[in-house]
Amino acid sequence: MTTTHDHPTDGTPATEEPPQSSKADRPGHDPPTYDVPAGEEPAATCDRCGRPFPTTTHHDLHLGEVHAGDLTDAERGRYEDAIEAETDELFVYHLKVIAGLASLYAVLVLVYMVVLSL
């Protein structure tokens, strides 16, 4: 089944539409600006897009996620180290959450037992 979107009505062959460019690629459009709080200096700034970061780890993660296509071997190594460190931190956070929930559950069970014994 064909629709009017598949073939133009004037008989010319259909052509693909050009990909949409981002706002930063358009002529006359300024790149985004980033506000850094007064009295603070960014630990690192991306040399590709100019974005400031509070830590070098955040900078390394940004490079690997946003500019993955043109990383050097050193940058790729720092990105992989940052991913591993972030994974370890997240694991510890999850352990703390589980411990907190288990403690809360134990306290609620004890309170319930005390209330039932009255």
Side-chain angles (χ1 to χ4, degrees):
M1 178 174 141
T2 60
T3 63
T4 56
H5 298 292
D6 294 332
H7 301 287
T9 56
D10 62 0
T12 58
T15 59
E16 291 186 24
E17 293 181 19
Q20 296 292 327
S21 62
S22 68
K23 289 181 181 179
D25 296 337
R26 296 179 191 154
H29 183 75
D30 295 329
T33 58
Y34 303 99
D35 294 328
V36 177
E40 291 188 20
E41 285 293 320
T45 302
C46 180
D47 58 345
R48 293 168 177 90
C49 65
R51 183 175 177 182
F53 295 95
T55 66
T56 56
T57 302
H58 288 134
H59 176 256
D60 295 337
L61 289 170
H62 165 79
L63 287 177
E65 293 170 3
V66 177
H67 307 292
D70 57 347
L71 290 181
T72 64
D73 290 338
E75 290 171 336
R76 189 169 312 282
R78 288 195 313 266
Y79 170 67
E80 291 170 0
D81 291 343
I83 286 287
E84 186 175 333
E86 184 180 50
T87 302
D88 292 344
E89 289 173 11
L90 190 58
F91 179 73
V92 170
Y93 173 75
H94 287 158
L95 287 178
K96 289 178 182 178
V97 168
I98 290 171
L101 289 173
S103 299
L104 179 64
Y105 178 74
V107 168
L108 288 175
V109 167
L110 289 173
V111 168
Y112 185 70
M113 289 172 39
V114 168
V115 168
L116 284 179
S117 68
L118 296 177

